Amino acid sequence: MDVQRLEKIRESFRRELDCTVDFWLKHSHDTEHGGFFTCLGRDGQVYDELKYVWLQGRQVWMYCRLYRTVPRFHREELLQAAKAGGVFLRKHARVGGSSGPWKCAFCLTRDGKAVKIQRTIFSECFYILALDELSRVTDNSDMQRGGAAVLENVSVDGTELQGCVGRLQNPGHTLEAGWFLLQYSSLWGLQDLQNTAISCFMEGPFQSGWDQEHGGLFYFLDVDGHCPTQLEWNMKLWWPHCEALVAFLMAYTQTQRPEVLERFTQVYDYTFKHFPDALSGEWFGYLSREGKVALDFKGGPFKGFFHVPRCLLMCEAMLDQILDSK
């Protein structure tokens, strides 16, 4: 098959995609109650006003994916349609309250009242996929203080909870999530995600979580600077430092940025000075704010054979990689 034939085929795909998008933009939007009509006749007439949650989710996902990945669809009308669909889903799709296992309705009335709930998980799957893709095109600008903080607890739709529970931060969890995101971004070549992982999940939490007076990472913080309710908030625990070592060294292997390597060595100096037990081996787990051993056991209900060896294994391998490349 020659190149010209393939170009004509490609053009037919483009033309049909444009036509399909225009059809749904023109006929499916419910401007009165929100969401989308999905039961449409040949000429776009609505023949059933029931709204099927999994199809609502699919349409939000599709608008977002087109907006995000295809330049000719990077149009405000697609973005606003996706946002409106997301608002309808978050307002009406979930049933059964906010506690315990939750379900999404299978179909809703035009104004969002549940009509039918199925045992299958299609509604839930496309509800989640829709909101995930929507977050990618809206940059999560309405969640967790505009990206300036990573909170330990949020509501099921990602918004901030009221009170001390909603203000809680855990630098260790955030740094761990950061290197999870780095691995994923490296696997799929996602540069934006790599930047987010380093700036929002590593650099920011490190700046706020590092004890400028005594060194080391605090265990808990309050995002507004109040005293956390956890009495152990200012202790220095083994596992957040393990996560920080992995996170910053992994960031350096991917970016070669010298400031990231400086963060790694800063954490290394503190960690290897305070946690390893030179007499009996392994690491102490619980230090006071000043860096003194508070509890001298090596294992317990929360500390076992995991964080320390995983950190050492991963960092050794990454250092091998760095040094071999030099």
Side-chain angles (χ1 to χ4, degrees):
M1 187 178 294
D2 60 28
V3 173
Q4 289 183 338
R5 170 66 171 154
L6 289 176
E7 288 179 344
K8 289 182 179 180
I9 292 175
R10 180 180 65 180
E11 186 57 36
S12 68
F13 275 91
R14 287 178 173 171
R15 184 171 58 250
E16 287 302 314
L17 178 58
D18 290 345
C19 182
T20 299
V21 172
D22 288 343
F23 179 91
W24 288 92
L25 283 172
K26 181 177 180 181
H27 299 295
S28 72
H29 296 188
D30 185 349
T31 57
E32 182 178 353
H33 294 285
F36 312 112
F37 298 117
T38 57
C39 297
L40 304 177
R42 178 177 182 179
D43 297 321
Q45 67 272 24
V46 179
Y47 65 84
D48 189 340
E49 292 185 348
L50 287 177
K51 294 175 178 174
Y52 296 85
V53 169
W54 70 311
L55 297 180
Q56 302 288 312
R58 285 179 167 187
Q59 193 157 343
V60 170
W61 183 92
M62 195 72 253
Y63 280 151
C64 293
R65 183 57 64 94
L66 289 168
Y67 178 86
R68 187 167 65 88
T69 63
V70 183
R72 72 179 188 276
F73 290 119
H74 195 78
R75 293 160 21 201
E76 186 65 20
E77 60 179 329
L78 267 73
L79 178 60
Q80 294 306 318
K83 287 182 177 181
V87 169
F88 183 85
L89 280 173
R90 296 210 295 184
K91 185 176 182 180
H92 299 294
R94 289 188 57 179
V95 294
S98 59
S99 61
W102 59 271
K103 288 286 293 179
C104 286
F106 178 70
C107 62
L108 307 167
T109 61
R110 181 182 178 185
D111 59 355
K113 296 180 177 65
V115 174
K116 182 179 180 180
I117 302 172
Q118 287 189 325
R119 291 190 299 271
T120 59
I121 63 171
F122 293 109
S123 294
E124 291 79 12
C125 288
F126 287 102
Y127 174 89
I128 292 170
L129 285 171
L131 297 187
D132 173 70
E133 191 67 21
L134 184 60
S135 73
R136 298 172 189 268
V137 297
T138 58
D139 294 326
N140 292 322
S141 58
D142 59 340
M143 295 162 60
Q144 302 203 13
R145 307 194 177 206
V150 179
L151 304 175
E152 187 76 356
N153 307 298
V154 294
S155 67
V156 292
D157 62 359
T159 55
E160 185 171 335
L161 297 170
Q162 296 297 312
C164 58
V165 172
R167 299 195 306 268
L168 185 65
Q169 293 182 293
N170 185 309
H173 280 157
T174 308
L175 287 160
E176 184 177 27
W179 69 259
F180 288 171
L181 293 175
L182 275 185
Q183 286 189 319
Y184 187 84
S185 67
S186 177
L187 180 64
W188 297 102
L190 303 175
Q191 184 65 48
D192 289 344
L193 182 60
Q194 180 191 82
N195 294 335
T196 298
I198 294 174
S199 62
C200 297
F201 286 80
M202 295 182 188
E203 192 62 32
F206 183 86
Q207 292 283 3
S208 60
W210 187 260
D211 185 345
Q212 298 295 331
E213 183 177 355
H214 299 286
L217 290 164
F218 290 118
Y219 194 26
F220 290 109
L221 293 172
D222 183 288
V223 71
D224 287 333
H226 304 301
C227 180
T229 58
Q230 291 78 6
L231 298 179
E232 71 277 22
W233 72 270
N234 63 0
M235 292 182 70
K236 312 296 169 58
L237 272 64
W238 83 105
W239 69 264
H241 295 79
C242 289
E243 304 307 332
L245 289 169
V246 173
F248 286 117
L249 191 58
M250 187 179 295
Y252 179 73
T253 64
Q254 293 188 15
T255 67
Q256 303 297 302
R257 288 163 48 179
E259 67 273 16
V260 175
L261 187 59
E262 291 177 6
R263 288 278 183 255
F264 167 77
T265 56
Q266 182 178 352
V267 178
Y268 168 82
D269 289 340
Y270 178 89
T271 301
F272 274 70
K273 178 180 179 181
H274 292 89
F275 286 102
D277 182 357
L279 295 179
S280 301
E282 236 275 356
W283 288 13
F284 299 113
Y286 302 86
L287 311 178
S288 68
R289 179 180 180 182
E290 296 75 18
K292 297 179 180 179
V293 176
L295 301 168
D296 64 0
F297 58 79
K298 300 297 175 55
F302 302 102
K303 184 179 185 294
F305 185 67
F306 183 67
H307 283 96
V308 173
R310 182 178 68 168
C311 167
L312 298 175
L313 173 67
M314 295 181 69
C315 288
E316 180 183 345
M318 287 187 285
L319 287 167
D320 285 343
Q321 176 186 343
I322 293 169
L323 294 172
D324 288 346
S325 68
K326 294 184 181 300

